[in-house]
Amino acid sequence: MLSASRSQTSSLQAHRLKAQYAAEAGLVWAMQRLWRDQAYCGNPDPPAMNGYSVDMTVSNCGAGNTHTLSAKVNY
């Protein structure tokens, strides 16, 4: 039982780490998108990262060069 519990914990930690990397990659993708097009407002979302879909939010669209980016990954 202890072994099964540790295996499940390791699996969850691996999913969390992959989701974190996917979210970070989504933020980099959005920043590159903003460099090319300052009118980018989070649509479209970045492509799937590590098999996880990343939901990008870009706040302050149209407020000059100030944008706030956030990424959310559900796993």
Side-chain angles (χ1 to χ4, degrees):
M1 190 162 154
L2 181 59
S3 177
S5 175
R6 286 189 179 177
S7 176
Q8 184 179 14
T9 300
S10 294
S11 178
L12 287 174
Q13 287 175 337
H15 283 294
R16 284 187 197 122
L17 190 58
K18 287 180 183 179
Q20 177 184 342
Y21 289 153
E24 290 174 1
L27 290 171
V28 170
W29 183 90
M31 286 187 290
Q32 291 175 343
R33 184 80 186 235
L34 280 167
W35 275 101
R36 291 191 316 263
D37 178 14
Q38 290 185 359
Y40 172 68
C41 286
N43 189 12
D45 281 332
M49 311 278 180
N50 287 336
Y52 294 90
S53 65
V54 180
D55 181 26
M56 286 301 308
T57 303
V58 181
S59 304
N60 301 329
C61 287
N65 293 328
T66 303
H67 295 82
T68 302
L69 301 173
S70 64
K72 179 175 75 173
V73 176
N74 292 319
Y75 62 95

